[in-house]
Amino acid sequence: MNKNKEVVSITFFQYPKRNRWWAFNQMQLAISPLERVPGKKFFKLMGTGGGFGFSLKPDFSTYALLMVWEDIEAARNFNLSEVYLRFNQQCINNFTYWMRCIQSHGTWYGEKPFNPSQEKAKGPIMVITRARVKLHKVLRFLKYVPNTSKSAEKANGLIFTKGIGEWPIFEQATFSYWKSQEQMEDYAYGLAHKEVIKRVKKENWYKEELFARFIPIDINETPD
């Protein structure tokens, strides 16, 4: 029996041109309403990158909302909340990935946002990687990381990926969805990606970093 009831969601909201300024302003205006959402343990409202995966070019049409919930019931109820309904009314469409964390290392502004369960990935897997880049290492970061992200475009088993973040360049994260853990690890431990990881460690690029793995769940299931 899985005793960890925590649920994680990441929703991508896509907005029409007429509502993009509204969406941009929500990066500040929506913080207080989101803080008051019942059952919420952690959240981040983030912008996204244009193009494939990580990109220095922002995508002003799309924003990502990452939420960590106490349980499935709290996650279900969010779709009835005033803040969600307001987002939903302004966007063209949105899609939510529902997940449970199975592995997490590192911190997000000093917090450990995810509580890993003891479950194993037996099928599809999601990954969130996040880093705060040191100011004097930004040029090195810009030289190597975007090309590594582009290499994922041809990765076997990659279903979806999107660059996400609170601040351009200095705070970068990536959400990716893979058909299997094996295919994700083939990419993660592949030559191009492995070379950048070696540079990151050797040259100490990051102030802070986080790596987390998740399995997809159905929030309509009956809780354990």
Side-chain angles (χ1 to χ4, degrees):
M1 179 182 293
N2 174 37
K3 295 182 180 180
N4 179 14
K5 296 182 179 181
E6 185 177 279
V7 173
V8 180
S9 65
I10 185 166
T11 304
F12 292 93
F13 295 92
Q14 186 175 18
Y15 295 91
K17 285 186 178 181
R18 67 180 182 276
N19 291 340
R20 289 179 188 175
W21 180 243
W22 179 91
F24 179 77
N25 284 327
Q26 298 313 300
M27 294 287 286
Q28 289 298 321
L29 298 178
I31 299 302
S32 182
L34 287 167
E35 286 177 343
R36 297 193 297 269
V37 170
K40 170 270 311 167
K41 298 177 68 177
F42 178 88
F43 77 92
K44 290 295 177 182
L45 181 58
M46 298 172 284
T48 69
F52 185 88
F54 171 84
S55 174
L56 298 179
K57 181 181 178 181
D59 177 1
F60 290 113
S61 71
T62 306
Y63 290 81
L65 177 59
L66 175 68
M67 305 284 287
V68 181
W69 304 99
E70 292 178 354
D71 52 34
I72 285 178
E73 196 61 33
R76 289 174 181 157
N77 290 339
F78 180 59
N79 287 355
L80 302 175
S81 69
E82 182 180 347
V83 62
Y84 173 83
L85 293 174
R86 190 161 64 244
F87 283 142
N88 193 47
Q89 184 179 33
Q90 298 291 333
C91 73
I92 300 172
N93 57 61
N94 68 72
F95 186 82
T96 300
Y97 294 93
W98 297 100
M99 312 172 281
R100 181 170 287 118
C101 184
I102 59 171
Q103 181 183 351
S104 182
H105 299 289
T107 58
W108 198 316
Y109 274 104
E111 290 188 66
K112 292 185 176 181
F114 310 117
N115 178 26
S117 71
Q118 301 302 312
E119 296 169 89
K120 302 294 184 182
K122 298 178 181 178
I125 190 168
M126 288 97 154
V127 177
I128 291 177
T129 59
R130 183 258 179 186
R132 295 172 63 197
V133 184
K134 292 181 178 178
L135 180 61
H136 65 286
K137 295 294 183 179
V138 166
L139 293 180
R140 296 290 284 171
F141 176 84
L142 296 180
K143 181 178 179 180
Y144 290 100
V145 174
N147 288 335
T148 304
S149 180
K150 289 178 182 177
S151 70
E153 202 164 354
K154 299 178 182 178
N156 290 329
L158 180 62
I159 299 171
F160 173 78
T161 186
K162 188 72 169 172
I164 55 179
E166 296 159 272
W167 294 98
I169 302 176
F170 299 103
E171 297 191 20
Q172 294 293 336
T174 303
F175 171 78
S176 57
Y177 183 20
W178 301 81
K179 291 181 180 177
S180 70
Q181 179 171 313
E182 291 74 21
Q183 289 170 312
M184 180 275 291
E185 290 179 345
D186 284 346
Y187 166 72
Y189 302 136
L191 187 61
H193 192 259
K194 195 173 183 180
E195 179 63 27
V196 171
I197 296 302
K198 286 173 63 178
R199 290 183 182 275
V200 167
K201 300 299 183 185
K202 183 178 180 180
E203 300 179 22
N204 195 21
W205 290 2
Y206 299 151
K207 289 183 180 179
E208 184 181 48
E209 56 186 314
L210 179 144
F211 174 84
R213 295 181 180 183
F214 307 82
I215 55 173
I217 64 168
D218 179 1
I219 66 162
N220 295 313
E221 67 185 0
T222 302
D224 292 342

